[in-house]
Amino acid sequence: MLEDPVLRRALDAVHHLTDPEPPWLGVLEGACGLIGGESATFIMVDAGGQLLSAQQWNVDPEAERAYREHYVQQDIITPKALGAAPGTWLDTAEFF
């Protein structure tokens, strides 16, 4: 039995990733709790690079708005992600 409440909440959220509407905030909050992060973002784009979803936890609403309205088109990850195999780890530091 899991005694760590942070790990328990994270795993509970992950078990619902296949739900019609996954609990992204729970997953992101859980990931931050496990690694000691302060914020998290899950971004999904279609095959043409158009933003489908941007789920964020503990992110400044103004930064989220600016990303959606402007920076998504300049995201350095998107071009690499479009042709990547499922499960590929993309490291922003490598792209810089």
Side-chain angles (χ1 to χ4, degrees), residues 22-75:
W24 290 117
L25 296 181
V27 171
L28 296 172
E29 180 181 13
C32 281
L34 290 174
I35 64 169
E38 296 178 2
S39 63
T41 302
F42 170 79
I43 297 171
M44 185 184 330
V45 296
D46 66 14
Q50 295 300 309
L51 184 65
L52 297 176
S53 179
Q55 303 294 323
Q56 303 186 344
W57 179 79
N58 205 29
V59 172
D60 180 343
E62 180 59 25
E64 180 177 354
R65 184 197 61 74
Y67 181 81
R68 287 178 180 273
E69 292 178 5
H70 176 71
Y71 294 104
V72 67
Q73 301 302 321
Q74 299 172 30
D75 193 323

